[in-house]
């Protein structure tokens, strides 16, 4: 398997910046009267706001770091079985958290025995108990006891869960998997592909082309639709139920974890960019990195805008190809700039204040759940003066900074999630 050079510090910085912005836009979504370009675009709109570029950037960064993580484990002596176990454990953890988060959205406090805020705080605490990076010096009995407690808490919350609207109350069920779940599926598919082809760049490029082709087909005039009950299959609006093709599509329905392959396309794009960087370094052609990545980034943008009229426009909600490619281009160019600033010019100290967001990223993502739901549990609301317009945006940004600084303090005490 291809041996990559030493991990780029620019990846951690790019992840930290993205996490800072993710906390900011999530918090700002509750601020009133903010500029339209900052917030998410509506599902029916042919556009994207600034907030719509953050999640795809994070998926792309997952791909950038994936080859380094897997190759480092192999370099340390992990067997193929151990690497596969590592991939599966990480994916399952993200899927479980995403599953609980997506059900949190439809929690029915009036039908359940505890309020939504309490349920959210319990599951978030359970996540920390299960996946905390426990110190090696801790007694195993204590560690396992805490992890078992976390598992029991999750099971208990699943048992008492009530979702849906009054009159149609239901238990927990999978839906769109949530942000963490989507990351989990994307990571699982791309990591398994990387492992299967042994990190060979040409094979990874082919895999990316296949994934982006699926995304384009899913949103073009040739789009395929399978109803939830699997009784009807339509291609470009034509019913093909009962035909050989229709039956084949239903037979392959279990593979629908890739949905329209948008998240996988973004993640595999990052994997390919890492592979191109590694090949140029190995060949001693480091001067070509700048032109190569710049051209790729611009091509992503050009193709994205070119596909826009033919593949349902630009939309994060509908995960269209234009959105995938344009965001891939933006992130590639941002990564290129940070390679120069951080890895070439050595300006990493300028980003030390947000470093925890790049090294304890999952912790940074989950801590706001404590902040939001503690406020909700005790019915504490922000004064209108700091929840409107520019003051509200400033408050959201400062909230993101404080959370990252707080995670930095937790990190020093080894209180961070690790999967």
């Amino acid at each position: 398997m291809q041996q990559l050079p030493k991990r780029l510090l620019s990846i951690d910085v790019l992840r930290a910046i993205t996490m800072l912005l993710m906390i900011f836009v999530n918090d700002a979504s509750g601020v009133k009267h903010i500029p339209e370009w900052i917030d998410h675009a509506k599902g029916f709109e042919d556009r994207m706001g600034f907030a719509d570029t953050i999640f795809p950037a994070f998926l792309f960064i997952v791909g950038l770091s994936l080859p380094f993580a897997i190759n480092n484990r192999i370099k340390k002596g992990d067997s193929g079985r151990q690497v596969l176990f590592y991939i599966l454990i990480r994916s399952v953890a993200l899927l479980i958290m995403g599953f609980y988060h997506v059900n949190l959205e439809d929690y029915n406090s009036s039908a359940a025995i505890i309020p939504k805020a309490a349920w959210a705080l319990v599951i978030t605490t359970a996540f920390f108990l299960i996946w905390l990076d426990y110190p090696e010096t801790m007694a195993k009995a204590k560690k396992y006891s805490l992890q078992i407690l976390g598992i029991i808490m999750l099971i208990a919350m699943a048992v008492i869960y009530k979702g849906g609207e009054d009159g149609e109350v239901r238990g927990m069920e999978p839906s769109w998997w949530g942000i963490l779940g989507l990351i989990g599926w994307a990571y699982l598919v791309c990591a398994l592909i990387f492992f299967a082809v042994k990190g060979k760049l040409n094979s990874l490029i082919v895999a990316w082309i296949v994934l982006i082709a699926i995304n384009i087909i899913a949103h073009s005039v040739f789009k395929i639709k399978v109803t939830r009950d699997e009784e009807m299959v339509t291609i470009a609006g034509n019913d093909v139920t009962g035909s050989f093709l229709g039956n084949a599509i239903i037979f392959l329905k279990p593979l629908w974890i890739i949905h329209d392959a948008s998240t996988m396309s973004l993640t595999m794009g990052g994997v390919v960019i890492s592979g191109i960087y590694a090949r140029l370094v190995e060949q001693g052609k480091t001067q070509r990195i700048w032109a190569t990545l710049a051209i790729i980034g611009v091509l992503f943008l050009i193709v994205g805008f070119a596909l826009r009229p033919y593949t349902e426009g630009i939309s994060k909600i509908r995960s269209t190809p234009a959105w995938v490619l344009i965001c891939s281009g933006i992130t590639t160019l941002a990564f290129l700039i940070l390679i120069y600033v951080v890895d070439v010019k050595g300006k990493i100290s300028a980003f030390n204040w947000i470093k925890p967001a790049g090294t304890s990223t999952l912790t940074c993502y989950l801590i706001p759940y404590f902040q939001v739901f503690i406020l909700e549990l005790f019915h504490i609301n922000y004064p209108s003066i700091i929840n409107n317009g520019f003051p509200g945006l400033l408050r959201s940004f400062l909230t993101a900074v404080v959370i990252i600084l707080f995670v930095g303090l937790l990190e020093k005490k080894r209180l961070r999630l690790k999967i």
Side-chain angles (χ1 to χ4, degrees):
M1 188 173 286
Q2 183 183 23
Q3 295 298 314
L4 294 180
K6 187 177 179 180
R7 183 185 183 89
L8 287 167
L9 295 176
S10 49
I11 295 179
D12 287 334
V13 172
L14 182 58
R15 186 188 298 107
I17 293 172
T18 304
M19 193 68 247
L20 169 70
L21 294 175
M22 185 177 289
I23 299 171
F24 164 67
V25 298
N26 286 344
D27 193 271
S29 64
V31 177
K32 300 176 182 178
H33 308 121
I34 63 174
E36 190 177 50
W37 65 267
I38 292 179
D39 207 355
H40 294 285
K42 303 294 188 296
F44 61 85
E45 293 180 307
D46 176 18
R47 72 174 185 89
M48 65 180 186
F50 174 71
D52 295 319
T53 66
I54 307 304
F55 176 55
F58 194 85
L59 284 166
F60 198 88
I61 296 164
V62 169
L64 286 175
S65 59
L66 188 154
F68 291 93
I70 292 179
N71 277 295
N72 283 341
R73 296 192 76 88
I74 293 172
K75 188 176 180 180
K76 291 177 181 177
D78 283 7
S79 66
R81 182 177 296 179
Q82 288 174 313
V83 172
L84 281 174
F85 183 73
Y86 164 77
I87 292 170
L88 292 173
I89 286 295
R90 295 194 78 194
S91 303
V92 168
L94 291 168
L95 290 172
I96 290 173
M97 286 185 272
F99 175 65
Y100 274 82
H101 279 169
V102 80
N103 279 278
L104 175 62
E105 295 176 359
D106 294 326
Y107 191 88
N108 188 327
S109 294
S110 61
I113 61 175
I114 63 173
K116 177 179 180 178
W119 196 85
L121 291 170
V122 172
I123 65 168
T124 306
T125 302
F127 295 159
F128 274 85
L129 289 174
I130 297 170
W131 289 291
L132 195 67
D133 183 15
Y134 290 100
E136 295 180 1
T137 54
M138 177 180 285
K140 289 186 178 180
K142 183 178 180 180
K143 173 185 173 181
Y144 294 151
S145 296
L146 291 172
Q147 289 178 322
I148 291 171
L149 175 60
I151 293 170
I152 292 172
M153 290 166 65
L154 286 187
I155 293 172
M157 292 303 99
V159 170
I160 68 171
Y161 176 86
K162 299 295 181 183
E165 299 178 359
D166 292 337
E168 296 182 1
V169 178
R170 58 169 177 78
M172 293 182 69
E173 60 182 34
S175 180
W176 64 280
W177 291 102
I179 294 297
L180 292 179
L182 291 179
I183 295 172
W185 281 124
Y187 173 80
L188 176 63
V189 171
C190 294
L192 289 178
I193 291 173
F194 183 87
F195 182 82
V197 302
K198 299 182 179 179
K200 295 177 181 176
L201 180 58
N202 292 343
S203 298
L204 294 171
I205 292 173
V206 170
W208 178 82
I209 292 173
V210 170
L211 290 169
I212 199 67
I214 293 172
N215 185 240
I216 292 171
I217 291 170
H219 293 276
S220 70
V221 293
F222 306 107
K223 59 187 177 184
I224 298 172
K225 181 179 180 181
V226 183
T227 59
R228 186 170 181 178
D229 58 12
E230 299 184 354
E231 292 179 354
M232 181 177 289
V233 182
T234 60
I235 300 179
N238 298 310
D239 185 3
V240 296
T241 307
S243 67
F244 174 80
L245 182 57
N247 290 334
I249 290 172
I250 289 177
F251 177 76
L252 294 173
K253 189 68 166 27
L255 298 180
W256 244 241
I257 58 167
I258 66 172
H259 185 46
D260 64 356
S262 57
T263 56
M264 290 79 179
S265 298
L266 285 160
T267 302
M268 187 56 73
V271 174
V272 168
I273 292 298
S274 272
I276 291 172
Y277 166 84
R279 175 170 289 186
L280 291 174
V281 170
E282 288 173 354
Q283 293 176 348
K285 301 176 180 178
T286 54
Q287 293 305 312
R288 293 189 182 182
I289 290 173
W290 315 111
T292 302
L293 295 190
I295 290 171
I296 292 173
V298 172
L299 283 176
F300 279 151
L301 295 174
I302 292 172
V303 176
F305 280 108
L307 287 173
R308 179 182 182 181
Y310 311 104
T311 53
E312 302 184 309
I314 303 175
S315 174
K316 176 197 172 187
I317 301 297
R318 287 176 279 119
S319 59
T320 63
W323 171 73
V324 170
L325 288 165
I326 291 170
C327 291
S328 295
I330 293 171
T331 312
T332 299
L333 296 176
F335 177 50
L336 180 61
I337 292 170
L338 285 175
I339 290 177
Y340 179 76
V341 172
V342 175
D343 296 301
V344 175
K345 291 299 184 179
K347 302 296 184 181
I348 191 170
S349 59
F351 303 95
N352 283 344
W353 62 284
I354 58 169
K355 182 180 178 181
T359 53
S360 296
T361 310
L362 185 56
T363 309
C364 278
Y365 183 83
L366 290 177
I367 286 296
Y369 281 83
F370 286 115
Q371 171 226 344
V372 169
F373 288 106
I374 286 174
L375 292 177
E376 181 178 320
L377 186 64
F378 293 101
H379 306 288
I380 301 172
N381 298 310
Y382 291 115
S384 59
I385 193 172
I386 59 169
N387 206 38
N388 283 279
F390 177 76
L393 291 176
L394 179 60
R395 189 262 303 160
S396 292
F397 183 78
L398 292 176
T399 296
V401 172
V402 170
I403 286 171
I404 291 172
L405 294 176
F406 176 68
V407 170
L409 295 176
L410 294 179
E411 193 175 56
K412 290 179 180 179
K413 297 181 179 296
R414 291 291 300 273
L415 295 173
R416 49 169 290 194
L417 290 162
K418 183 179 181 181
I419 57 172

